[in-house]
Amino acid sequence: MARSGETANRVKPTTRVILRTPRPARNRVTASGAPGLSPRCRIARDVLEREARAVSALADRLDHRFDQAVAVMLKSTGRVIVTGIGKSGLIGQKIAATLSSTGTPAFFLHPVEAGHGDL
């Protein structure tokens, strides 16, 4: 420690990070009388609405094949093998991890590796 009057050998920070709380957006009133949204809020709201519609549309696609897939997994005495290439492969890895963490033994196997004898 430096005594009074002495200069301490300290490393001075080269970058200061200042965290500020963003100011709340002003309530802008649109022609319809509803409070206006900032461009960021409009974009975020649009993204959430699109995603909600996409998830809702999935409900219409559930049919007997879903029941069959669940029945096969429930009857399985071994492990569930999930495969996929590209984006489907990334999603398959997450599905396999979710199945494993919820009690269904499962793992992801890349289809190319399966074709080379890894199955």
Side-chain angles (χ1 to χ4, degrees):
M1 299 208 88
R3 295 183 198 150
S4 60
E6 292 182 6
T7 304
N9 291 330
R10 295 185 186 168
V11 176
K12 294 183 181 181
T14 57
T15 305
R16 290 183 77 183
V17 176
I18 300 173
L19 299 176
R20 295 182 184 162
T21 305
R23 288 188 221 159
R26 294 182 183 161
N27 268 345
R28 290 172 239 153
V29 178
T30 61
S32 65
L37 296 173
S38 71
R40 286 187 194 117
C41 286
R42 283 196 304 269
I43 291 169
R45 183 174 282 188
D46 181 55
V47 168
L48 291 173
E49 288 171 352
R50 282 190 213 176
E51 294 296 326
R53 284 192 303 270
V55 169
S56 182
L58 291 175
D60 295 333
R61 297 180 66 186
L62 289 178
D63 58 15
H64 70 282
R65 294 174 296 178
F66 178 79
D67 287 326
Q68 289 174 340
V70 171
V72 167
M73 284 193 284
L74 290 174
K75 289 179 188 175
S76 174
T77 57
R79 294 177 181 232
V80 174
I81 302 170
V82 183
T83 66
I85 293 178
K87 180 73 171 182
S88 297
L90 295 174
I91 294 168
Q93 290 173 359
K94 291 177 185 254
I95 291 171
T98 299
L99 288 170
S100 292
S101 68
T102 57
T104 301
F107 64 93
F108 176 80
L109 178 62
H110 194 280
V112 175
E113 293 171 351
H116 288 278
D118 285 350
L119 185 61

